[in-house]
Amino acid sequence: MFIGSLQLQDDLSPARWISDRIHPFAQDVGSLIPEGFDAYVRVLHPAYRHEGNDRVAVTWAEIAAANGRTVHPEMQWPHISGVWEHSGGRHPGVWDQEPEVGTLPRDHAAVLADLLVTYTATPERVWFGVWDGWGGSLVEGVLAGGARRPRRRDERLPAAPRLELPGRSYYLLSGSIDAVAESLVGPPAWQSANLWWPEDRAWCVATEIDFAWTYVGGRQALIEDLGRHPGLEVVPTRIDHGVTYDSDQLNPRPPGGPGS
């Protein structure tokens, strides 16, 4: 079965190395991206400010500076912005729209693909994992007999193997690295793959469904190139860094929210 240019896979063995290297759920960075790479970064999804008809990307560093917060590898969006995700909050004159959560922004996906293609010998053989819980999933549309046919509440989809990782399940697809530009949900929405890596395992990209950033692991030279790219905001991270709200020990939590 094909979803765009991507082929849905029945054989999950190409992903076994990830299962073998992933940490327990919500423990640290290694819960989301496999251990074993030379270095890792967080690619921060930008917020946006509306200027007339234009949407201007705003970095986390700009927002942190506007709020007197500290930029560091384990910083959390609520702590630097002063508002919780999906609260409808904004900071007039600084940002009006919060970062995209659970999906790598389309322009960032293109930037990453252009850079990552130079760091793999197998750009035509790339594996993609997409979370099995997305509404409007093209994978489930194809399984149900057509991407345009709505799924009935009681309808049982044909069985499709899923990559089971701690707390998450993913359909596995394969194709060229160019497929990074294809949405995995129906238009007009955009949804990137949540995991992708080349056959030679030279790097791995992970976008957790609840996070406003993406992890990349790879060789030190690749990570340094990512850090220099003008179209990305990245912060170095380690496989043992925290990923929960409690991980940000340098900036204050906003009032309310989880655990209040």
Side-chain angles (χ1 to χ4, degrees), residues 8-259:
L8 183 62
Q9 298 296 309
D10 291 327
D11 179 8
L12 302 181
S13 61
R16 186 172 298 126
W17 72 283
I18 291 185
S19 303
D20 292 343
R21 296 189 193 178
I22 211 77
H23 293 179
F25 185 69
Q27 173 179 296
D28 52 24
V29 173
S31 304
L32 307 167
I33 190 168
E35 63 181 20
F37 290 105
D38 291 344
Y40 297 83
V41 292
R42 288 171 75 187
V43 179
L44 304 174
H45 304 173
Y48 297 95
R49 181 174 61 249
H50 301 144
E51 296 183 359
N53 294 324
D54 296 327
R55 191 176 75 151
V56 178
V58 183
T59 66
W60 289 40
E62 292 175 85
I63 294 166
N67 291 315
R69 303 295 193 256
T70 300
V71 173
H72 66 100
E74 294 174 288
M75 65 181 167
Q76 295 287 315
W77 168 256
H79 299 60
I80 67 156
S81 68
V83 299
W84 294 97
E85 294 96 334
H86 315 305
S87 67
R90 54 192 289 266
H91 189 157
V94 180
W95 64 275
D96 301 298
Q97 180 183 337
E98 68 183 27
E100 296 181 52
V101 173
T103 183
L104 182 64
R106 188 189 294 265
D107 57 344
H108 281 47
V111 167
L112 274 184
D114 285 347
L115 195 153
L116 293 173
V117 72
T118 65
Y119 281 92
T120 176
T122 58
E124 298 304 317
R125 186 64 165 171
V126 176
W127 301 92
F128 298 85
V130 57
W131 183 52
D132 67 355
W134 291 124
S137 167
L138 295 181
V139 176
E140 292 202 348
V142 169
L143 289 173
R148 296 185 180 277
R149 181 170 69 81
R151 177 183 172 189
R152 298 191 310 273
R153 182 181 298 273
D154 61 348
E155 183 175 7
R156 294 178 63 86
L157 295 178
R162 291 166 173 81
L163 169 62
E164 301 289 344
L165 296 180
R168 301 286 183 260
S169 300
Y170 304 90
Y171 295 110
L172 184 65
L173 304 95
S174 66
S176 163
I177 194 172
D178 294 337
V180 169
E182 300 177 18
S183 178
L184 291 165
V185 298
W190 160 258
Q191 177 61 54
S192 70
N194 298 103
L195 288 166
W196 40 296
W197 68 92
E199 176 75 15
D200 62 6
R201 306 178 192 172
W203 41 260
C204 185
V205 180
T207 306
E208 155 60 24
I209 64 170
D210 288 329
F211 290 172
W213 63 87
T214 292
Y215 289 108
V216 182
R219 289 163 41 197
Q220 185 66 44
L222 164 61
I223 299 307
E224 291 174 359
D225 273 355
L226 286 171
R228 288 189 290 264
H229 199 288
L232 301 173
E233 183 184 21
V234 307
V235 290
T237 190
R238 297 197 316 257
I239 200 72
D240 62 346
H241 273 162
V243 295
T244 64
Y245 291 128
D246 292 339
S247 304
D248 193 337
Q249 296 292 311
L250 300 183
N251 297 305
R253 290 166 61 107

